[in-house]
Amino acid sequence: MDAFVIEGGRRLKGRVSVNGSKNAALPIMAAALLADGPLTLHDVPDLSDIQNMARLLGELGCKVAFTDDGHMRLEVIDDLNCQARYDIVRTMRASICVLGPLLAKRGKATVSMPGGCAIGERPIDLHLRGLRQLGAEIELSGGELVATARELRGAKVFLGGTFGSTVLGTANIMSAATLAKGTTVIESAACEPEVVDLANVLNAMGAHVRGAGTPRIVVEGVEKLRGVEHTVMPDRIEAGTYMCAAAATNGDVTIDNCPLDAMAAVADRLEGIGISLDIVDGSDPMRAAVSVGSARRLEPIAVTTQPYPGFPTDLQAQLMALLTLADGNSMITEKVFPERFLHVAELSRMGAALYRQGPTVMVSGVKKLIGAPVMASDLRASAGLVLAGLAAKGPTTVNRVYHLDRGYEKMDQRLRALGAQIERVKMT
Ligand code: EPZ
């Protein structure tokens, strides 16, 4: 198993370009199941979650090929197998994305029920309720969701849950509705930019989706969808992670291909801490060049994670790592996944002063963090630990970086290019 060994204390300097978004790419890849022709995707990041999705789609008869110029081509060549096996689903919860497309196109799907997850309970009741409202019959049998639908029919679907809407649930229902008979209205839809990216692909394929990016999405069903080419949006979480890394090391980093237009809450909170974000090139606000500079003194802030356009839960751990070094007490409240605090105990091992009560953590800033061996079994928590390691005094070993590799392409190499002292080592 690989680990990162980091010698902290180096200021990050230079340029880094943001990759295509994992969370946009995954449901878009699943949408290839809907098309009667090849879907060619540009800027798909090279990550283990993407490889897992490619493997799953392969089992479902969708040939996934990487072209010579680094693009991904997906084409259904066989529609017999409709089963997403537990072996794959347990490694990647986003496997649930195939449920809607399979049902819509093939009239049936068996998808292993996703189990527990390091970031807390993650039910899929809203996905199932939505698909049932479109006319699907879904049963749970031996840990498998067995879904059938002679035909899907447009309906009014409400996707609001206790913790807000659901991103992948919205993706599932919206994708399924493209081939349903009649009009589907999704109320309390997730407004995340990744949902908009998916809607853009579906519309290019011939679907009629309106309102993506707002809480009300209207989909007029069509007979069939065609294959198209699409460039996946840049990853706002990766961009935010490198912003926090620059700030935590008092660095000076320019972030290219930055989807700043989709990062208003992140920019607002970072500016509150005293980080400057200067637009070097804003001609395309979803692919801007942004220079990140940080003040020597970091101001404490209060932040609450929320569904988009609020501050993203996927940046909560990285922000916490940064705030451990602020001059005063910060408050972080997690409103999307209230148990997503695996990094708290690990950051404490590095000298951070953190006090958790339920979904809130008070971060009492310290003068310095001290390197230590740490580990977290969540992708973003691990990213927070890497950031802490970059800022800490002495060596930090972040164990089990396969969690990081699920969501950050070559993070070690990219940080090294910015001047960090970080090595990937094999641990026995
Ligand atoms: C997506 O997960 C992302 N994953 C997550 O990114 C991200 O943290 C999350 O959205 C929230 O932004 C992908 O896009 C692949 P949700 P998703 O359904 O769609 C509750 C990362 O680190 N809920 O929007 O599965 C749920 O428990 C990851 O890259 C229900 O109650 O998240 C949570 O509290 C991890 N019932 C809230 O809604 C449901 O049926 C939001 O979850 C579904 C969700």
Side-chain angles (χ1 to χ4, degrees), residues 22-24 26-27 49 92-97 117 119-129 159-170 190 192 194 235-237 306-308 312-315 335-338 340 378-381 406-408:
K22 160 182 89 81
N23 288 350
L26 290 168
D49 268 12
M92 186 188 55
R93 296 183 62 86
S95 308
I96 193 71
C97 290
C117 173
I119 66 178
E121 209 184 318
R122 291 179 70 183
I124 53 161
D125 55 310
L126 297 169
H127 300 237
L128 304 186
R129 190 170 81 191
L159 284 184
T162 319
F163 298 102
S165 191
T166 162
V167 179
L168 293 181
T170 302
E192 269 66 3
E194 292 76 15
D235 193 322
R236 61 195 170 102
I237 305 304
Q306 281 168 332
Y308 190 84
T313 171
D314 291 347
L315 276 174
K335 283 250 174 101
V336 180
F337 293 112
R340 193 177 200 178
D378 162 37
L379 156 63
R380 309 299 173 186
R406 290 183 41 214
Y408 292 95

Short mmCIF file of all heavy atoms in Angstrom, two decimals, residues 22-24 26-27 49 92-97 117 119-129 159-170 190 192 194 235-237 306-308 312-315 335-338 340 378-381 406-408, ligand 1:
data_model
loop_
_atom_site.label_atom_id
_atom_site.label_comp_id
_atom_site.label_asym_id
_atom_site.label_seq_id
_atom_site.Cartn_x
_atom_site.Cartn_y
_atom_site.Cartn_z
N LYS A 22 -14.01 14.65 -11.50
CA LYS A 22 -14.42 13.26 -11.25
C LYS A 22 -15.92 13.16 -11.09
O LYS A 22 -16.58 12.31 -11.70
CB LYS A 22 -13.73 12.74 -9.98
CG LYS A 22 -14.39 11.52 -9.35
CD LYS A 22 -13.69 11.09 -8.08
CE LYS A 22 -14.18 11.73 -6.80
NZ LYS A 22 -15.40 11.16 -6.20
N ASN A 23 -16.48 14.05 -10.26
CA ASN A 23 -17.90 13.92 -9.94
C ASN A 23 -18.82 14.33 -11.08
O ASN A 23 -20.00 13.98 -11.09
CB ASN A 23 -18.22 14.69 -8.65
CG ASN A 23 -17.64 14.00 -7.43
OD1 ASN A 23 -17.17 12.86 -7.54
ND2 ASN A 23 -17.64 14.66 -6.30
N ALA A 24 -18.29 15.09 -12.04
CA ALA A 24 -19.05 15.33 -13.26
C ALA A 24 -18.90 14.13 -14.20
O ALA A 24 -19.87 13.68 -14.81
CB ALA A 24 -18.57 16.62 -13.95
N LEU A 26 -18.31 10.92 -13.69
CA LEU A 26 -18.89 9.60 -13.38
C LEU A 26 -20.33 9.45 -13.91
O LEU A 26 -20.62 8.50 -14.65
CB LEU A 26 -18.81 9.32 -11.87
CG LEU A 26 -17.39 9.07 -11.35
CD1 LEU A 26 -17.36 9.10 -9.83
CD2 LEU A 26 -16.84 7.74 -11.87
N PRO A 27 -21.26 10.38 -13.58
CA PRO A 27 -22.61 10.21 -14.15
C PRO A 27 -22.67 10.42 -15.66
O PRO A 27 -23.52 9.83 -16.34
CB PRO A 27 -23.46 11.26 -13.42
CG PRO A 27 -22.51 12.16 -12.72
CD PRO A 27 -21.21 11.47 -12.59
N ASP A 49 -11.48 5.82 -9.34
CA ASP A 49 -12.95 5.78 -9.43
C ASP A 49 -13.40 5.74 -10.90
O ASP A 49 -14.38 5.09 -11.25
CB ASP A 49 -13.56 7.03 -8.77
CG ASP A 49 -13.88 6.78 -7.29
OD1 ASP A 49 -13.42 5.75 -6.75
OD2 ASP A 49 -14.58 7.61 -6.68
N MET A 92 -17.08 1.53 -5.08
CA MET A 92 -17.43 2.87 -5.55
C MET A 92 -18.94 3.08 -5.51
O MET A 92 -19.69 2.51 -6.30
CB MET A 92 -16.94 3.03 -6.98
CG MET A 92 -17.12 4.42 -7.48
SD MET A 92 -16.75 4.57 -9.21
CE MET A 92 -17.82 3.35 -9.91
N ARG A 93 -19.38 3.93 -4.60
CA ARG A 93 -20.82 4.17 -4.46
C ARG A 93 -21.44 4.80 -5.69
O ARG A 93 -22.63 4.63 -5.95
CB ARG A 93 -21.07 5.07 -3.26
CG ARG A 93 -20.68 4.47 -1.95
CD ARG A 93 -21.03 5.41 -0.84
NE ARG A 93 -22.46 5.64 -0.79
CZ ARG A 93 -23.34 4.88 -0.14
NH1 ARG A 93 -22.90 3.86 0.56
NH2 ARG A 93 -24.62 5.15 -0.16
N ALA A 94 -20.61 5.54 -6.45
CA ALA A 94 -21.16 6.21 -7.65
C ALA A 94 -21.65 5.20 -8.68
O ALA A 94 -22.26 5.58 -9.68
CB ALA A 94 -20.12 7.14 -8.25
N SER A 95 -21.41 3.91 -8.44
CA SER A 95 -21.97 2.87 -9.33
C SER A 95 -23.48 3.01 -9.44
O SER A 95 -24.08 2.57 -10.42
CB SER A 95 -21.68 1.46 -8.78
OG SER A 95 -20.35 1.31 -8.49
N ILE A 96 -24.09 3.60 -8.43
CA ILE A 96 -25.55 3.77 -8.43
C ILE A 96 -26.01 4.60 -9.64
O ILE A 96 -27.17 4.51 -10.07
CB ILE A 96 -26.03 4.40 -7.10
CG1 ILE A 96 -27.54 4.30 -6.89
CG2 ILE A 96 -25.60 5.84 -6.96
CD1 ILE A 96 -28.04 2.94 -6.60
N CYS A 97 -25.08 5.33 -10.23
CA CYS A 97 -25.40 6.17 -11.41
C CYS A 97 -25.90 5.35 -12.60
O CYS A 97 -26.50 5.92 -13.51
CB CYS A 97 -24.15 6.89 -11.92
SG CYS A 97 -23.56 8.16 -10.90
N CYS A 117 -20.41 3.61 4.58
CA CYS A 117 -19.44 4.48 3.94
C CYS A 117 -18.71 5.26 5.02
O CYS A 117 -19.30 5.60 6.05
CB CYS A 117 -20.20 5.42 3.01
SG CYS A 117 -19.18 6.69 2.29
N ILE A 119 -17.86 8.23 5.30
CA ILE A 119 -18.29 9.60 5.63
C ILE A 119 -19.68 9.64 6.24
O ILE A 119 -20.27 10.69 6.41
CB ILE A 119 -18.17 10.55 4.42
CG1 ILE A 119 -19.13 10.19 3.29
CG2 ILE A 119 -16.76 10.59 3.91
CD1 ILE A 119 -19.05 11.15 2.10
N GLY A 120 -20.21 8.48 6.57
CA GLY A 120 -21.49 8.44 7.28
C GLY A 120 -22.52 7.63 6.51
O GLY A 120 -22.23 7.07 5.46
N GLU A 121 -23.69 7.65 7.06
CA GLU A 121 -24.79 6.91 6.44
C GLU A 121 -25.12 7.55 5.09
O GLU A 121 -25.21 8.77 5.00
CB GLU A 121 -26.01 7.02 7.35
CG GLU A 121 -26.93 5.84 7.26
CD GLU A 121 -28.16 6.08 8.12
OE1 GLU A 121 -28.00 6.61 9.24
OE2 GLU A 121 -29.24 5.78 7.65
N ARG A 122 -25.21 6.78 4.06
CA ARG A 122 -25.54 7.38 2.77
C ARG A 122 -26.68 6.62 2.12
O ARG A 122 -26.47 5.77 1.25
CB ARG A 122 -24.30 7.42 1.87
CG ARG A 122 -23.27 8.39 2.38
CD ARG A 122 -22.04 8.45 1.54
NE ARG A 122 -22.26 9.07 0.25
CZ ARG A 122 -21.31 9.16 -0.68
NH1 ARG A 122 -20.11 8.66 -0.45
NH2 ARG A 122 -21.57 9.75 -1.83
N PRO A 123 -27.90 6.93 2.52
CA PRO A 123 -29.04 6.20 1.97
C PRO A 123 -29.26 6.55 0.49
O PRO A 123 -28.72 7.54 -0.01
CB PRO A 123 -30.21 6.71 2.80
CG PRO A 123 -29.79 8.03 3.33
CD PRO A 123 -28.30 7.99 3.45
N ILE A 124 -30.05 5.73 -0.20
CA ILE A 124 -30.38 6.04 -1.60
C ILE A 124 -31.89 6.07 -1.79
O ILE A 124 -32.41 5.88 -2.89
CB ILE A 124 -29.74 5.02 -2.58
CG1 ILE A 124 -30.10 3.59 -2.19
CG2 ILE A 124 -28.23 5.20 -2.67
CD1 ILE A 124 -29.91 2.62 -3.32
N ASP A 125 -32.60 6.32 -0.66
CA ASP A 125 -34.07 6.32 -0.72
C ASP A 125 -34.62 7.31 -1.75
O ASP A 125 -35.62 7.03 -2.43
CB ASP A 125 -34.65 6.62 0.68
CG ASP A 125 -34.10 7.93 1.24
OD1 ASP A 125 -32.87 8.10 1.23
OD2 ASP A 125 -34.90 8.79 1.67
N LEU A 126 -33.96 8.46 -1.91
CA LEU A 126 -34.49 9.47 -2.83
C LEU A 126 -34.35 9.00 -4.29
O LEU A 126 -35.23 9.24 -5.12
CB LEU A 126 -33.79 10.81 -2.62
CG LEU A 126 -33.98 11.44 -1.23
CD1 LEU A 126 -33.04 12.61 -1.03
CD2 LEU A 126 -35.44 11.88 -1.03
N HIS A 127 -33.25 8.32 -4.59
CA HIS A 127 -33.08 7.75 -5.94
C HIS A 127 -34.25 6.81 -6.24
O HIS A 127 -34.87 6.85 -7.30
CB HIS A 127 -31.81 6.90 -6.05
CG HIS A 127 -30.52 7.61 -5.79
ND1 HIS A 127 -29.50 7.65 -6.71
CD2 HIS A 127 -30.04 8.27 -4.70
CE1 HIS A 127 -28.46 8.31 -6.21
NE2 HIS A 127 -28.77 8.68 -4.99
N LEU A 128 -34.51 5.93 -5.26
CA LEU A 128 -35.51 4.88 -5.48
C LEU A 128 -36.90 5.47 -5.57
O LEU A 128 -37.70 5.09 -6.44
CB LEU A 128 -35.44 3.83 -4.37
CG LEU A 128 -34.07 3.19 -4.18
CD1 LEU A 128 -34.14 2.06 -3.15
CD2 LEU A 128 -33.53 2.63 -5.49
N ARG A 129 -37.18 6.45 -4.69
CA ARG A 129 -38.49 7.08 -4.73
C ARG A 129 -38.72 7.74 -6.08
O ARG A 129 -39.78 7.60 -6.69
CB ARG A 129 -38.58 8.12 -3.61
CG ARG A 129 -39.97 8.65 -3.40
CD ARG A 129 -40.04 9.47 -2.14
NE ARG A 129 -39.56 10.81 -2.37
CZ ARG A 129 -39.31 11.69 -1.41
NH1 ARG A 129 -39.44 11.34 -0.15
NH2 ARG A 129 -38.91 12.89 -1.68
N LEU A 159 -37.30 15.65 -4.84
CA LEU A 159 -36.06 15.02 -4.39
C LEU A 159 -35.48 15.64 -3.12
O LEU A 159 -34.31 15.44 -2.81
CB LEU A 159 -35.00 15.07 -5.51
CG LEU A 159 -35.20 14.06 -6.64
CD1 LEU A 159 -34.04 14.13 -7.63
CD2 LEU A 159 -35.32 12.62 -6.12
N GLY A 160 -36.29 16.40 -2.38
CA GLY A 160 -35.78 16.99 -1.14
C GLY A 160 -35.71 15.95 -0.03
O GLY A 160 -36.67 15.21 0.17
N GLY A 161 -34.60 15.91 0.68
CA GLY A 161 -34.47 14.98 1.81
C GLY A 161 -34.08 15.75 3.05
O GLY A 161 -34.01 16.98 3.06
N THR A 162 -33.80 15.02 4.11
CA THR A 162 -33.45 15.64 5.39
C THR A 162 -32.23 16.56 5.26
O THR A 162 -32.12 17.57 5.94
CB THR A 162 -33.11 14.53 6.41
OG1 THR A 162 -34.04 13.48 6.23
CG2 THR A 162 -33.15 15.03 7.84
N PHE A 163 -31.30 16.16 4.40
CA PHE A 163 -30.06 16.94 4.27
C PHE A 163 -30.02 17.72 2.96
O PHE A 163 -28.97 17.99 2.42
CB PHE A 163 -28.85 16.01 4.41
CG PHE A 163 -28.79 15.35 5.75
CD1 PHE A 163 -29.19 14.03 5.90
CD2 PHE A 163 -28.38 16.06 6.87
CE1 PHE A 163 -29.17 13.43 7.14
CE2 PHE A 163 -28.36 15.47 8.11
CZ PHE A 163 -28.76 14.15 8.26
N GLY A 164 -31.17 18.03 2.42
CA GLY A 164 -31.22 18.76 1.16
C GLY A 164 -31.47 17.81 0.01
O GLY A 164 -31.99 16.70 0.20
N SER A 165 -31.08 18.22 -1.17
CA SER A 165 -31.32 17.37 -2.33
C SER A 165 -30.21 16.34 -2.46
O SER A 165 -29.35 16.22 -1.60
CB SER A 165 -31.40 18.23 -3.59
OG SER A 165 -31.87 17.42 -4.64
N THR A 166 -30.24 15.59 -3.53
CA THR A 166 -29.22 14.58 -3.76
C THR A 166 -28.62 14.77 -5.15
O THR A 166 -29.36 14.86 -6.14
CB THR A 166 -29.80 13.16 -3.58
OG1 THR A 166 -28.90 12.23 -4.22
CG2 THR A 166 -31.19 12.99 -4.19
N VAL A 167 -27.30 14.83 -5.18
CA VAL A 167 -26.62 15.12 -6.45
C VAL A 167 -26.76 13.93 -7.41
O VAL A 167 -27.28 14.06 -8.52
CB VAL A 167 -25.12 15.43 -6.19
CG1 VAL A 167 -24.41 15.71 -7.51
CG2 VAL A 167 -24.99 16.61 -5.25
N LEU A 168 -26.32 12.76 -6.95
CA LEU A 168 -26.39 11.60 -7.86
C LEU A 168 -27.84 11.15 -8.07
O LEU A 168 -28.18 10.60 -9.11
CB LEU A 168 -25.54 10.45 -7.33
CG LEU A 168 -24.02 10.72 -7.33
CD1 LEU A 168 -23.26 9.50 -6.82
CD2 LEU A 168 -23.51 11.09 -8.71
N GLY A 169 -28.70 11.40 -7.08
CA GLY A 169 -30.12 11.09 -7.25
C GLY A 169 -30.71 11.94 -8.37
O GLY A 169 -31.44 11.45 -9.24
N THR A 170 -30.35 13.23 -8.38
CA THR A 170 -30.83 14.11 -9.45
C THR A 170 -30.29 13.62 -10.80
O THR A 170 -31.03 13.57 -11.80
CB THR A 170 -30.37 15.57 -9.19
OG1 THR A 170 -30.87 15.97 -7.91
CG2 THR A 170 -30.88 16.52 -10.26
N ALA A 190 -30.90 18.88 -7.15
CA ALA A 190 -29.58 19.41 -6.77
C ALA A 190 -29.16 20.43 -7.82
O ALA A 190 -29.40 20.23 -9.02
CB ALA A 190 -28.57 18.28 -6.67
N GLU A 192 -25.98 21.52 -8.22
CA GLU A 192 -24.53 21.46 -8.41
C GLU A 192 -24.14 21.62 -9.88
O GLU A 192 -24.84 21.14 -10.78
CB GLU A 192 -24.01 20.10 -7.90
CG GLU A 192 -23.57 20.07 -6.44
CD GLU A 192 -24.70 20.28 -5.43
OE1 GLU A 192 -25.88 20.39 -5.82
OE2 GLU A 192 -24.39 20.34 -4.22
N GLU A 194 -22.06 20.07 -11.50
CA GLU A 194 -21.85 18.77 -12.15
C GLU A 194 -23.17 18.26 -12.75
O GLU A 194 -23.17 17.53 -13.75
CB GLU A 194 -21.30 17.75 -11.13
CG GLU A 194 -19.88 18.05 -10.63
CD GLU A 194 -19.79 19.19 -9.61
OE1 GLU A 194 -20.84 19.58 -9.05
OE2 GLU A 194 -18.67 19.70 -9.39
N ASP A 235 -12.53 20.43 -12.26
CA ASP A 235 -12.92 19.95 -10.93
C ASP A 235 -12.80 21.09 -9.89
O ASP A 235 -11.70 21.49 -9.51
CB ASP A 235 -11.99 18.78 -10.56
CG ASP A 235 -12.49 18.03 -9.36
OD1 ASP A 235 -13.02 18.67 -8.43
OD2 ASP A 235 -12.36 16.79 -9.34
N ARG A 236 -13.95 21.57 -9.42
CA ARG A 236 -13.92 22.70 -8.47
C ARG A 236 -13.34 22.27 -7.12
O ARG A 236 -12.81 23.09 -6.37
CB ARG A 236 -15.32 23.32 -8.32
CG ARG A 236 -16.37 22.41 -7.78
CD ARG A 236 -17.78 22.93 -7.98
NE ARG A 236 -18.73 21.87 -7.66
CZ ARG A 236 -19.41 21.81 -6.52
NH1 ARG A 236 -19.29 22.76 -5.62
NH2 ARG A 236 -20.24 20.81 -6.30
N ILE A 237 -13.46 20.98 -6.79
CA ILE A 237 -12.92 20.52 -5.51
C ILE A 237 -11.40 20.42 -5.59
O ILE A 237 -10.68 20.81 -4.65
CB ILE A 237 -13.54 19.17 -5.11
CG1 ILE A 237 -15.08 19.26 -5.10
CG2 ILE A 237 -12.99 18.68 -3.77
CD1 ILE A 237 -15.65 20.35 -4.19
N GLN A 306 -22.94 23.21 2.82
CA GLN A 306 -24.32 23.14 2.35
C GLN A 306 -24.33 22.65 0.92
O GLN A 306 -23.30 22.73 0.24
CB GLN A 306 -24.93 24.55 2.37
CG GLN A 306 -25.36 24.99 3.74
CD GLN A 306 -25.68 26.46 3.81
OE1 GLN A 306 -25.14 27.24 3.06
NE2 GLN A 306 -26.55 26.83 4.71
N PRO A 307 -25.50 22.23 0.44
CA PRO A 307 -25.56 21.93 -0.99
C PRO A 307 -25.23 23.19 -1.80
O PRO A 307 -25.34 24.31 -1.28
CB PRO A 307 -27.02 21.52 -1.20
CG PRO A 307 -27.51 21.11 0.14
CD PRO A 307 -26.75 21.94 1.13
N TYR A 308 -24.84 23.01 -3.05
CA TYR A 308 -24.52 24.14 -3.92
C TYR A 308 -25.71 25.09 -4.00
O TYR A 308 -26.83 24.62 -4.06
CB TYR A 308 -24.17 23.60 -5.32
CG TYR A 308 -23.59 24.65 -6.24
CD1 TYR A 308 -22.24 24.94 -6.20
CD2 TYR A 308 -24.41 25.35 -7.12
CE1 TYR A 308 -21.71 25.92 -7.03
CE2 TYR A 308 -23.88 26.33 -7.95
CZ TYR A 308 -22.53 26.60 -7.90
OH TYR A 308 -22.00 27.56 -8.72
N PRO A 312 -18.93 23.67 -0.24
CA PRO A 312 -19.04 22.22 -0.47
C PRO A 312 -18.46 21.35 0.65
O PRO A 312 -17.37 21.65 1.16
CB PRO A 312 -18.24 22.00 -1.76
CG PRO A 312 -17.36 23.19 -1.91
CD PRO A 312 -18.00 24.32 -1.16
N THR A 313 -19.19 20.34 1.01
CA THR A 313 -18.69 19.37 2.00
C THR A 313 -17.37 18.75 1.54
O THR A 313 -16.53 18.39 2.36
CB THR A 313 -19.74 18.26 2.24
OG1 THR A 313 -19.14 17.23 3.03
CG2 THR A 313 -20.26 17.62 0.97
N ASP A 314 -17.18 18.64 0.23
CA ASP A 314 -15.96 18.00 -0.28
C ASP A 314 -14.70 18.85 -0.06
O ASP A 314 -13.60 18.40 -0.37
CB ASP A 314 -16.11 17.67 -1.77
CG ASP A 314 -17.12 16.55 -2.01
OD1 ASP A 314 -17.51 15.88 -1.03
OD2 ASP A 314 -17.52 16.34 -3.17
N LEU A 315 -14.88 20.07 0.47
CA LEU A 315 -13.70 20.89 0.80
C LEU A 315 -13.60 21.16 2.31
O LEU A 315 -12.74 21.91 2.74
CB LEU A 315 -13.76 22.23 0.06
CG LEU A 315 -13.24 22.21 -1.38
CD1 LEU A 315 -13.49 23.55 -2.06
CD2 LEU A 315 -11.75 21.89 -1.42
N LYS A 335 -23.25 20.26 7.32
CA LYS A 335 -24.70 20.09 7.17
C LYS A 335 -25.07 19.09 6.07
O LYS A 335 -26.25 18.86 5.84
CB LYS A 335 -25.33 21.44 6.83
CG LYS A 335 -25.47 22.38 8.02
CD LYS A 335 -26.93 22.54 8.43
CE LYS A 335 -27.11 23.34 9.68
NZ LYS A 335 -27.51 24.70 9.47
N VAL A 336 -24.08 18.55 5.35
CA VAL A 336 -24.41 17.60 4.28
C VAL A 336 -24.19 16.16 4.77
O VAL A 336 -25.07 15.31 4.63
CB VAL A 336 -23.61 17.90 2.99
CG1 VAL A 336 -23.98 16.89 1.89
CG2 VAL A 336 -23.88 19.32 2.52
N PHE A 337 -22.99 15.93 5.33
CA PHE A 337 -22.69 14.62 5.93
C PHE A 337 -22.23 14.88 7.37
O PHE A 337 -21.03 15.03 7.62
CB PHE A 337 -21.59 13.89 5.14
CG PHE A 337 -21.99 13.48 3.76
CD1 PHE A 337 -21.42 14.08 2.64
CD2 PHE A 337 -22.94 12.49 3.54
CE1 PHE A 337 -21.78 13.70 1.36
CE2 PHE A 337 -23.31 12.11 2.26
CZ PHE A 337 -22.73 12.71 1.17
N PRO A 338 -23.16 14.95 8.33
CA PRO A 338 -22.81 15.39 9.69
C PRO A 338 -21.77 14.53 10.40
O PRO A 338 -21.24 14.93 11.44
CB PRO A 338 -24.15 15.35 10.43
CG PRO A 338 -25.20 15.26 9.38
CD PRO A 338 -24.58 14.65 8.18
N ARG A 340 -18.98 13.47 8.81
CA ARG A 340 -17.78 13.46 7.96
C ARG A 340 -16.61 14.17 8.66
O ARG A 340 -16.18 15.25 8.25
CB ARG A 340 -18.11 14.16 6.64
CG ARG A 340 -17.07 13.94 5.56
CD ARG A 340 -17.49 14.59 4.26
NE ARG A 340 -16.76 14.01 3.16
CZ ARG A 340 -16.94 14.34 1.88
NH1 ARG A 340 -17.83 15.24 1.56
NH2 ARG A 340 -16.23 13.77 0.93
N ASP A 378 -11.10 8.27 4.05
CA ASP A 378 -11.98 9.06 3.19
C ASP A 378 -11.09 9.93 2.32
O ASP A 378 -10.09 10.49 2.79
CB ASP A 378 -12.93 9.90 4.06
CG ASP A 378 -13.57 11.05 3.28
OD1 ASP A 378 -13.89 10.86 2.10
OD2 ASP A 378 -13.74 12.14 3.87
N LEU A 379 -11.48 10.03 1.07
CA LEU A 379 -10.71 10.78 0.09
C LEU A 379 -10.38 12.21 0.53
O LEU A 379 -9.23 12.65 0.53
CB LEU A 379 -11.54 10.76 -1.21
CG LEU A 379 -11.40 11.81 -2.26
CD1 LEU A 379 -10.01 11.78 -2.85
CD2 LEU A 379 -12.44 11.54 -3.36
N ARG A 380 -11.41 12.98 0.90
CA ARG A 380 -11.17 14.39 1.20
C ARG A 380 -10.48 14.57 2.55
O ARG A 380 -9.70 15.50 2.74
CB ARG A 380 -12.48 15.18 1.16
CG ARG A 380 -13.30 14.97 -0.09
CD ARG A 380 -12.60 15.39 -1.37
NE ARG A 380 -13.38 15.03 -2.55
CZ ARG A 380 -12.97 15.17 -3.79
NH1 ARG A 380 -11.76 15.63 -4.06
NH2 ARG A 380 -13.74 14.82 -4.80
N ALA A 381 -10.77 13.68 3.50
CA ALA A 381 -10.07 13.72 4.79
C ALA A 381 -8.58 13.52 4.54
O ALA A 381 -7.73 14.21 5.13
CB ALA A 381 -10.60 12.63 5.71
N ARG A 406 -8.28 8.02 -5.51
CA ARG A 406 -9.64 7.94 -6.07
C ARG A 406 -10.09 9.27 -6.65
O ARG A 406 -10.93 9.31 -7.54
CB ARG A 406 -10.64 7.52 -4.97
CG ARG A 406 -10.49 6.09 -4.51
CD ARG A 406 -11.56 5.77 -3.50
NE ARG A 406 -12.81 6.37 -3.92
CZ ARG A 406 -13.75 6.86 -3.12
NH1 ARG A 406 -13.58 6.81 -1.83
NH2 ARG A 406 -14.85 7.39 -3.58
N GLY A 407 -9.53 10.36 -6.11
CA GLY A 407 -10.07 11.67 -6.50
C GLY A 407 -9.05 12.71 -6.92
O GLY A 407 -9.45 13.78 -7.37
N TYR A 408 -7.77 12.43 -6.75
CA TYR A 408 -6.75 13.42 -7.13
C TYR A 408 -5.73 12.75 -8.03
O TYR A 408 -5.05 11.81 -7.61
CB TYR A 408 -6.03 13.98 -5.90
CG TYR A 408 -6.93 14.81 -5.02
CD1 TYR A 408 -7.58 14.26 -3.93
CD2 TYR A 408 -7.13 16.16 -5.29
CE1 TYR A 408 -8.43 15.01 -3.13
CE2 TYR A 408 -7.97 16.94 -4.49
CZ TYR A 408 -8.61 16.35 -3.43
OH TYR A 408 -9.45 17.11 -2.64
C1 EPZ B 1 -22.12 13.43 -4.37
O1 EPZ B 1 -22.47 12.27 -3.63
C2 EPZ B 1 -20.62 13.39 -4.54
N1 EPZ B 1 -20.24 12.16 -5.23
C3 EPZ B 1 -19.95 13.47 -3.18
O2 EPZ B 1 -18.56 13.57 -3.42
C4 EPZ B 1 -20.41 14.74 -2.46
O3 EPZ B 1 -19.85 14.77 -1.17
C5 EPZ B 1 -21.92 14.76 -2.37
O4 EPZ B 1 -22.49 14.61 -3.70
C6 EPZ B 1 -22.47 16.03 -1.77
O5 EPZ B 1 -22.03 17.13 -2.51
C7 EPZ B 1 -20.25 12.11 -6.56
O6 EPZ B 1 -20.66 13.03 -7.23
C8 EPZ B 1 -19.74 10.87 -7.19
P1 EPZ B 1 -25.94 13.29 -2.09
P2 EPZ B 1 -24.01 11.84 -3.52
O7 EPZ B 1 -26.87 12.23 -2.54
O8 EPZ B 1 -24.75 12.30 -4.71
C9 EPZ B 1 -28.52 12.41 1.78
C10 EPZ B 1 -16.26 13.10 -2.97
O9 EPZ B 1 -15.50 13.22 -1.98
N2 EPZ B 1 -29.27 11.49 0.91
O10 EPZ B 1 -26.04 14.62 -2.72
O11 EPZ B 1 -24.04 10.41 -3.18
C11 EPZ B 1 -27.09 11.98 2.02
O12 EPZ B 1 -26.99 11.04 3.05
C12 EPZ B 1 -17.67 12.65 -2.79
O13 EPZ B 1 -15.91 13.31 -4.13
C13 EPZ B 1 -30.44 10.92 1.38
O14 EPZ B 1 -30.87 11.15 2.50
O15 EPZ B 1 -24.45 12.72 -2.28
C14 EPZ B 1 -26.42 13.30 2.32
O16 EPZ B 1 -26.67 13.66 3.66
C15 EPZ B 1 -17.98 11.91 -1.59
N3 EPZ B 1 -31.13 10.07 0.55
C16 EPZ B 1 -27.17 14.27 1.41
O17 EPZ B 1 -28.41 13.64 1.10
C17 EPZ B 1 -30.70 9.79 -0.72
O18 EPZ B 1 -31.37 9.01 -1.42
C18 EPZ B 1 -26.45 14.61 0.12
O19 EPZ B 1 -26.01 13.41 -0.52
C19 EPZ B 1 -29.52 10.37 -1.18
C20 EPZ B 1 -28.82 11.23 -0.35
#
